[in-house]
Amino acid sequence: MGQPGHASNINYPFLTGGGEMGALIRSIDWSANPLGEPSGWSPALQQTVSMMLTTSFPVLICWGENYIQLYNDAFRPINGETKHPQAMGGSAKATYAEIWEQIGPMFQSVMQGQTVGFPNFMVPLDRNGYLEDCYFDFSYSPIRDSKGVTGGILVICVETTEKVKAISQAEQAQAAVASQRDRLTSFFMQAPAGVCILDGPQLVYELVNPAYQELLPGRKLLGRPIFEALPELVATPLQEVLLNVYNTGAPFEINELLIPVAEYEGGPTQNRYFSFTYQARRDVNNKIDGILVFVFEVTAMKNVQEDLREAREQSDQQKRVYEAISSGTPDLMYVFDLDYRFTYANNALLSMWGKTEENAIGKGLLENGYEPWHAEMHEREIDQIKNTKQPIRGEVSFPHAILGKRVYDYILTPVFNELSEVAAVAGITRDVSERKQLEETLANSSEELQAINEEMATTNEEMAASNEELTATNEELAFVNQQLLEAQQKIEESETALRLAIEAANFGTWFIHSETREFITDARLKELFGYYPDEALSIEQALAQITEEYRGYVANKLENAIYRNGDYDVTYPVIGLHDNQLRWLRAVGNLKADPSGAFSAFTGMVMDITEQKQDEMRKNDFIGMVSHELKTPLTSLTAIVQVANQKLKSNEDSFLAGAMEKAGVQVKRMSNMINGFLNVSRLESAKLVIEKREFNLEDLIEETIKETELTVSSHVIKFEPCNPVMIKADHDKIGSVITNLISNAIKYSPKGKEIDIKCEIIGDRAQVSVKDEGMGLKPQDKDRVFERYYRVETNGTQHISGFGIGLYLSAEIIHRHDGEIWVDSESGVGSTFHFSLPLH
Ligand code: ADP
């Protein structure tokens, strides 16, 4: 095999020139090659090589049965980097192994004298390290010697790969353009929007799709200039717009344009709404040659929008009407959807929750702060209403954050849709706590009086039967009985009257910035102070409406609450600015530090309790009057019983003596009770007068204990005497506080238990404690026992008589002395009631 590099200096006349390949051929050591020294090459071969080296066509010669190859400069690129230079002087079978299956048979037939040739013939050649599809125009011709015998093949071969590729790319591009055009046309024709193409400066309808034609049924458009086909456009702004698009190429878009159009030429016009876009169409030279029009008719949509707007307006108006109704009522009004979510809540309900419409509507019961049992109850009721289509009425009681335990009366009603199915559930809830409480108190007091009555009657009978001397007393007692019965009847009558007093809770709310004293209030609060909702209201202006006797007190409380975190629950009368009306208001406030720490927000609400207050005043007057009336006969009864007692002491009839002693105890009990009521009534009408004088607290305690021990022997009362403690206070009233604490300790602990009374000085205060080993109090009752009429309702207490006023009165008395009263207690273990009074 000949290799380049063996420089051969032999000079062959037919091997001159021929560029790089000529030089390569000459430099090969041919002696080792099957072709042999060029001098020995056949004349036909020599001749052909000489021709090959002079032509600029790519030529390859394959000689002999191994097809030894020789090629020229023009052929060199066809062999690429992979095949050159080994191909030179080597066998074509080896060089073209990857395509030999294709070209081998052709070579054979050429060797048998034929000529073979094809244009753009494709072969996968590896000439640069990978297979590539290459195209050639080629011809294979036999090289014959002088005797006509074929010794080799002359290959003339022009590569056409680039040309073929370019052609195929052009074909593909053409096909793509055609299909795009087809798609566009079919898109135009099927588009739900009206599409048309206006051609040339005359804007002739060149294409009109069915949707466009449908907008103008019966109008001939195709092939006609637009202003001829639609003369109603002439001299309208649209004409100008169209011409401008054609002249400048600036696209134009307009929405919901009102155009009066006639369905047929010359027909009546109708108001129709269209949205348009106009776009210039350009030819190959980018010159504008038409306009592409897209049109949507939006008349139907416009009409629907209009209907919708009207419907909305109507429903808004309706809503405003309902809101006006529901926002003015103290009742809680709301609507649930069937998934138990609130779709409406009136102002009263929102302010009870302390929420706004935004964060309450769409929420369920739990999310709005209902306890699980309560939420489940209403959910069950909503289901029931859905199934039965019947309204439900009920009563529910639960603790209110500010007002304590409340009782509510509510009605849930189905709301039907046009198919008479339940679509929602509407409800109204009314706070009936005050009414309930009054009912209960009155029921209690009449029971108590009834019981006393009965006892008196029995005692009466006993005495009448045993001693004539007591007839007079009997009569007196009968008279008292009669009076008691009358009182009871009066109480019953007033109960009916009071039942009707259902008061309202319609809150106003406020916010005070502790630094700036900015005062933000709602309309209801302004209204409560007699201001119009849009008027500004400052703290000072609000205070000015409070009656003079309360103003200083409220102002102090307020300052104390804002700047010293004092408690704020005040009741005061207000004279409205514009309406001059007297209203009793109860304000409850709460100080909260702002998260930034820079200021505090003092917020709260004001309720109109005028009705309640008036009821209360009427009731107090009534109780005061009844108590006062009862006091006179009771005083004479007490005197008579005392005299009788005295007389009977030396009598040998022990039954009579015992009965009279019992009568004495009952009369005492009754007068304590009546005094209690009298004090409540005085307190409430601000007639409870505190008369201070200096006395020794220790002495008072001892006296009180002695007095108690006269009538009670069931308990062991212990008192650790302390040093004399001088205080300046109302002697009798503090005495009644101590009496009350001791008698409670006796009432609420079993017989035989110990009662410890202590008196000590702690700092600048004197503190008295009464400890018992009785039933004790649950944590939730501890603070509430000081409320008026509050009694703990358990099996253990239901047989113990009382009105729930003793501790209330005690607390009021202590507070009026700037003292404090409180209880430490554990249920089932015992209680210790304490009060403290300032020493100076
Ligand atoms: P009354 O005893 O007439 O009901 P009070 O105002 O004196 O009224 O007491 C209010 C309630 O406080 C009582 O009904 C009772 O439930 C509870 N209570 C008062 N003192 C005690 C005590 N020492 N131990 C347990 N409970 C008490």
Side-chain angles (χ1 to χ4, degrees):
M1 174 75 76
Q3 283 302 319
H6 288 263
S8 151
N9 293 320
I10 318 154
N11 200 7
Y12 301 104
F14 73 93
L15 267 184
T16 52
E20 250 182 81
M21 295 307 126
L24 179 62
I25 293 170
R26 284 191 294 277
S27 71
I28 289 175
D29 175 8
W30 288 100
S31 58
N33 191 285
L35 218 52
E37 290 289 346
S39 54
W41 294 355
S42 76
L45 178 57
Q46 286 189 8
Q47 220 175 352
T48 317
V49 170
S50 162
M51 180 271 291
M52 172 192 84
L53 289 178
T54 53
T55 180
S56 57
F57 273 95
V59 176
L60 168 75
I61 297 164
C62 296
W63 190 262
E65 55 191 43
N66 285 323
Y67 306 119
I68 299 300
Q69 310 162 91
L70 295 163
Y71 47 92
N72 63 2
D73 281 3
F75 196 85
R76 153 82 183 81
I78 294 175
N79 274 339
E81 300 303 320
T82 319
K83 300 190 189 295
H84 179 81
Q86 297 91 317
M88 187 68 88
S91 158
K93 266 193 214 172
T95 302
Y96 300 109
E98 71 268 28
I99 55 170
W100 194 251
E101 268 186 26
Q102 280 166 280
I103 63 172
M106 292 195 237
F107 272 33
Q108 263 173 20
S109 54
V110 176
M111 288 306 272
Q112 278 151 26
Q114 292 185 19
T115 298
V116 179
F118 290 107
N120 291 328
F121 188 76
M122 197 278 277
V123 282
L125 267 192
D126 174 5
R127 50 183 182 176
N128 288 308
Y130 54 89
L131 281 182
E132 97 191 74
D133 286 349
C134 302
Y135 293 83
F136 299 97
D137 286 348
F138 74 91
S139 71
Y140 297 165
S141 332
I143 307 173
R144 296 194 181 90
D145 60 15
S146 43
K147 292 171 204 141
V149 179
T150 303
I153 300 166
L154 176 70
V155 177
I156 299 175
C157 177
V158 178
E159 181 157 5
T160 58
T161 308
E162 291 308 314
K163 199 174 83 189
V164 169
K165 274 190 193 157
I167 290 171
S168 107
Q169 268 168 6
E171 280 170 1
Q172 275 172 17
Q174 238 168 351
V177 167
S179 90
Q180 212 163 12
R181 207 176 35 221
D182 288 351
R183 274 211 304 274
L184 202 62
T185 310
S186 90
F187 163 72
F188 279 168
M189 298 315 273
Q190 289 165 18
V195 180
C196 70
I197 295 173
L198 302 171
D199 184 47
Q202 290 303 308
L203 302 178
V204 175
Y205 278 110
E206 175 190 308
L207 177 146
V208 171
N209 80 343
Y212 190 95
Q213 184 70 63
E214 225 168 75
L215 296 175
L216 302 153
R219 305 287 282 269
K220 186 176 159 2
L221 303 171
L222 263 184
R224 298 175 75 189
I226 184 167
F227 299 118
E228 181 194 309
L230 306 176
E232 57 266 53
L233 290 186
V234 175
T236 67
L238 266 189
Q239 181 177 27
E240 221 169 285
V241 166
L242 278 164
L243 294 174
N244 189 53
V245 172
Y246 191 86
N247 293 331
T248 67
F252 176 81
E253 187 175 331
I254 188 163
N255 288 322
E256 296 174 11
L257 181 69
L258 170 70
I259 307 182
V261 212
E263 281 200 2
Y264 51 92
E265 258 170 84
T269 57
Q270 286 168 318
N271 278 350
R272 293 163 70 178
Y273 293 87
F274 297 94
S275 292
F276 287 89
T277 61
Y278 296 149
Q279 235 160 346
R281 184 184 66 171
R282 288 164 196 273
D283 64 13
V284 274
N285 301 318
N286 208 27
K287 222 184 123 249
I288 296 170
D289 72 345
I291 296 177
L292 199 58
V293 180
F294 287 87
V295 193
F296 304 85
E297 173 153 20
V298 292
T299 309
M301 191 178 87
K302 272 299 262 198
N303 291 341
V304 169
Q305 273 174 354
E306 184 61 18
D307 290 351
L308 205 67
R309 196 187 55 73
E310 268 172 27
R312 206 170 282 151
E313 212 161 75
Q314 269 180 7
S315 89
D316 279 354
Q317 194 184 342
Q318 195 74 11
K319 202 173 149 204
R320 280 197 295 277
V321 171
Y322 289 144
E323 257 159 20
I325 297 169
S326 68
S327 68
T329 167
D331 293 336
L332 312 174
M333 297 175 71
Y334 42 88
V335 180
F336 291 108
D337 65 16
L338 298 181
D339 295 325
Y340 323 123
R341 282 185 302 248
F342 284 93
T343 57
Y344 174 75
N346 74 343
N347 285 348
L349 184 56
L350 288 170
S351 66
M352 179 172 125
W353 289 337
K355 288 190 147 202
T356 61
E357 218 168 89
E358 288 72 42
N359 60 27
I361 299 308
K363 299 279 164 61
L365 288 144
L366 286 176
E367 289 165 295
N368 279 335
Y370 284 63
E371 289 188 32
W373 65 265
H374 194 180
E376 278 161 25
M377 179 180 92
H378 286 323
E379 289 177 5
R380 266 198 313 276
E381 287 166 344
I382 291 167
D383 288 342
Q384 186 184 330
I385 291 171
K386 196 171 78 183
N387 296 332
T388 62
K389 303 189 175 181
Q390 293 300 318
I392 290 181
R393 181 167 189 163
E395 194 175 281
V396 64
S397 139
F398 53 84
H400 183 281
I402 295 157
L403 303 173
K405 185 183 159 199
R406 309 298 291 175
V407 185
Y408 296 93
D409 183 12
Y410 63 93
I411 302 175
L412 298 176
T413 331
V415 179
F416 297 106
N417 61 14
E418 356 23 297
L419 303 173
S420 296
E421 295 157 342
V422 177
V425 173
I428 299 189
T429 297
R430 184 165 288 186
D431 184 343
V432 294
S433 317
E434 302 296 326
R435 189 190 74 194
K436 283 270 157 192
Q437 208 175 44
L438 278 174
E439 279 173 13
E440 270 169 33
T441 308
L442 287 169
N444 278 346
S445 62
S446 57
E447 252 170 48
E448 186 82 4
L449 287 172
Q450 176 76 42
I452 292 167
N453 241 349
E454 276 163 18
E455 265 179 69
M456 293 295 258
T458 331
T459 316
N460 235 351
E461 270 166 31
E462 280 169 8
M463 288 196 290
S466 31
N467 199 322
E468 280 173 343
E469 266 183 59
L470 288 173
T471 317
T473 317
N474 258 346
E475 272 166 20
E476 195 87 12
L477 278 174
F479 172 68
V480 173
N481 261 346
Q482 184 53 37
Q483 282 196 326
L484 282 173
L485 274 172
E486 277 168 18
Q488 190 184 325
Q489 209 165 332
K490 270 193 188 166
I491 291 172
E492 267 165 16
E493 277 167 18
S494 78
E495 185 182 335
T496 319
L498 288 168
R499 214 187 271 274
L500 300 170
I502 301 159
E503 80 336 295
N506 197 0
F507 304 148
T509 58
W510 85 79
F511 168 98
I512 299 177
H513 190 294
S514 68
E515 285 286 299
T516 60
R517 286 179 70 87
E518 186 187 7
F519 186 46
I520 302 171
T521 64
D522 65 359
R524 174 62 180 156
L525 187 134
K526 289 182 188 162
E527 192 185 322
L528 290 174
F529 281 79
Y531 273 69
Y532 300 132
D534 48 0
E535 268 178 308
L537 175 63
S538 68
I539 300 179
E540 285 64 33
Q541 283 169 323
L543 285 172
Q545 299 315 123
I546 298 177
T547 59
E548 215 178 316
E549 35 183 338
Y550 279 80
R551 197 177 301 137
Y553 159 72
V554 178
N556 270 341
K557 274 279 196 187
L558 186 67
E559 295 302 305
N560 200 37
I562 303 176
Y563 298 111
R564 282 177 291 285
N565 199 13
D567 70 307
Y568 190 71
D569 182 346
V570 284
T571 298
Y572 49 82
V574 157
I575 309 278
L577 176 70
H578 298 301
D579 58 5
N580 255 326
Q581 264 203 34
L582 173 85
R583 285 187 200 84
W584 277 89
L585 303 183
R586 177 174 172 203
V588 182
N590 231 317
L591 188 71
K592 283 197 194 82
D594 178 81
S596 73
F599 68 94
S600 298
F602 183 59
T603 60
M605 57 187 203
V606 173
M607 320 158 224
D608 183 355
I609 55 162
T610 313
E611 288 271 305
Q612 238 167 296
K613 196 73 191 172
Q614 280 167 355
D615 271 352
E616 222 166 71
M617 290 190 316
R618 275 197 291 275
K619 189 189 67 194
N620 281 335
D621 288 351
F622 174 74
I623 291 175
M625 196 181 71
V626 171
S627 311
H628 191 80
E629 289 300 313
L630 286 174
K631 233 181 128 89
T632 321
L634 198 63
T635 312
S636 47
L637 179 62
T638 309
I640 292 162
V641 170
Q642 267 172 7
V643 172
N645 238 335
Q646 211 57 38
K647 276 195 178 175
L648 287 172
K649 263 202 181 135
S650 45
N651 197 307
E652 58 261 18
D653 187 342
S654 64
F655 168 78
L656 255 188
M660 194 43 73
E661 206 180 298
K662 271 193 210 157
V665 171
Q666 294 300 347
V667 167
K668 172 91 180 148
R669 234 182 101 196
M670 197 153 109
S671 79
N672 275 344
M673 219 140 50
I674 286 168
N675 275 333
F677 275 121
L678 212 49
N679 279 338
V680 170
S681 126
R682 282 183 187 140
L683 186 83
E684 312 259 301
S685 52
K687 285 182 204 137
L688 187 82
V689 187
I690 303 287
E691 286 168 54
K692 288 190 183 177
R693 65 179 172 85
E694 203 154 20
F695 63 90
N696 183 352
L697 183 59
E698 190 196 2
D699 289 346
L700 177 61
I701 299 173
E702 267 173 350
E703 275 165 34
T704 316
I705 294 173
K706 281 212 186 86
E707 212 174 287
T708 312
E709 280 171 340
L710 284 180
T711 49
V712 179
S713 54
S714 54
H715 293 70
V716 185
I717 304 180
K718 283 196 176 167
F719 178 53
E720 280 173 42
C722 50
N723 293 325
V725 182
M726 294 305 290
I727 56 166
K728 198 169 176 199
D730 189 314
H731 178 271
D732 291 353
K733 297 219 163 53
I734 298 295
S736 76
V737 172
I738 301 170
T739 309
N740 183 250
L741 295 185
I742 298 177
S743 61
N744 275 352
I746 294 166
K747 256 161 80 177
Y748 298 106
S749 61
K751 278 188 183 154
K753 291 285 181 188
E754 209 173 274
I755 292 162
D756 284 319
I757 301 164
K758 234 179 15 187
C759 166
E760 52 199 325
I761 292 179
I762 297 178
D764 57 357
R765 289 180 166 248
Q767 181 173 319
V768 177
S769 311
V770 179
K771 177 167 176 278
D772 66 49
E773 298 170 344
M775 58 183 63
L777 287 164
K778 299 216 173 89
Q780 67 265 33
D781 291 321
K782 268 200 232 170
D783 286 333
R784 304 210 55 199
V785 292
F786 298 104
E787 286 172 18
R788 189 181 51 171
Y789 304 136
Y790 188 81
R791 304 202 68 219
V792 178
E793 306 285 353
T794 65
N795 293 340
T797 57
Q798 67 187 11
H799 301 296
I800 303 174
S801 66
F803 292 108
I805 58 173
L807 286 178
Y808 167 66
L809 269 177
S810 301
E812 286 296 328
I813 291 168
I814 296 297
H815 289 152
R816 274 163 208 235
H817 282 85
D818 294 322
E820 277 172 56
I821 183 163
W822 70 99
V823 59
D824 293 325
S825 183
E826 198 178 323
S827 183
V829 177
S831 316
T832 309
F833 281 83
H834 314 267
F835 69 85
S836 69
L837 294 170
L839 282 174
H840 301 294

